[in-house]
Each structure stands twice: as structure tokens, then as C-alpha cells.
Amino acid sequence: QVQLAESGGGLVQAGGSLRLSCQASGRASSSYAMGWFRQAPGKEREFVAAISWRGGSTYYADSVKGRFTISRDNAKNTVSLQMNSLKPEDTAVYYCAARRTVDASRSSASYDYWGQGTQVTVSS
């Protein structure tokens, strides 16, 4: 069993930065790949970034590549998403997710655990 809790969302002007954090609990000694997804009003949930268990492999949506960075600290059971050069189209609820494998995935259907989401709003 894994519980995930996001934090760090808020309101920011275009061009600004935010850092989202996801605190995991109940992991025990299991290994999980992690991902970040987002859902804007009237839109489907979409992939943002993913990271493998050891953190050696990362993947990004084309829309955020070069602006966002995913990282993890397994000793602290945390995953972060550093978001720079934010754009109004980044406005969404951001969710962290965990997958019971060492390999990351871009597919939301392949993740087993989800956080409650945190709102990110970017003003133009």
C-alpha cells in the first residue's frame, strides 16, 4: 500500500517557477517508478514526467521538456517536479503517481497509486 500527497501548487505569473513535491508513505521496502500527470479544465489527464526507481531514467512530455525537471529521493520517500518558465497552458491540477515496477511509464493506466492533486495556475 502506498499513499501519495502532493504539495507546492499555487498561483504564479507566466515565466515564473514552482516546485511540486510528493510525499509517499506506506512504501515499506518496495520499489516504484514515479510519474507526474496533469489535468486542465475540459481536458484529459496527460503525462508530464516520469522517473525510474533508481532515478537513472527520466521521461518528459514534449510540451515541458527543457522547462520541467523530475527528481526523487528514495531515502526520504519524496518525488519533486521543478517547473521553470511556466506558461498559461501549464495551468492544471497536477498529480503524482506510483507504479509497482522499476520502469517508468507515460501511460496513466499503468500507475497503481495516485495523490489527490495540487492546483497550479499560471497567469498571463
Side-chain angles (χ1 to χ4, degrees):
Q1 290 294 119
V2 174
Q3 293 80 47
L4 306 174
E6 304 95 335
S7 63
L11 175 64
V12 65
Q13 292 181 314
S17 298
L18 283 174
R19 184 177 178 87
L20 305 183
S21 295
C22 178
Q23 179 68 57
S25 60
R27 284 178 174 269
S29 60
S30 299
S31 59
Y32 298 89
M34 302 293 297
W36 285 95
F37 294 78
R38 66 188 183 187
Q39 188 166 22
K43 303 290 186 179
E44 298 293 321
R45 185 172 297 184
E46 66 175 353
F47 168 77
V48 176
I51 188 167
S52 61
W53 164 242
R54 290 293 185 184
S57 297
T58 57
Y59 304 93
Y60 298 93
D62 289 342
S63 59
V64 307
K65 192 173 297 182
R67 300 187 297 121
F68 291 11
T69 303
I70 187 171
S71 61
R72 68 189 300 164
D73 185 340
N74 290 348
K76 297 181 179 179
N77 288 335
T78 58
V79 180
S80 297
L81 185 69
Q82 179 66 47
M83 306 186 295
N84 298 326
S85 301
L86 284 162
K87 304 174 180 179
E89 52 261 45
D90 295 319
T91 295
V93 176
Y94 283 70
Y95 300 88
C96 68
R99 184 170 182 251
R100 294 193 296 262
T101 180
V102 298
D103 299 320
S105 172
R106 294 178 174 87
S107 173
S108 62
S110 69
Y111 286 81
D112 302 294
Y113 305 99
W114 294 84
Q116 83 288 346
T118 185
Q119 177 70 49
V120 172
T121 303
V122 184
S123 61
S124 60

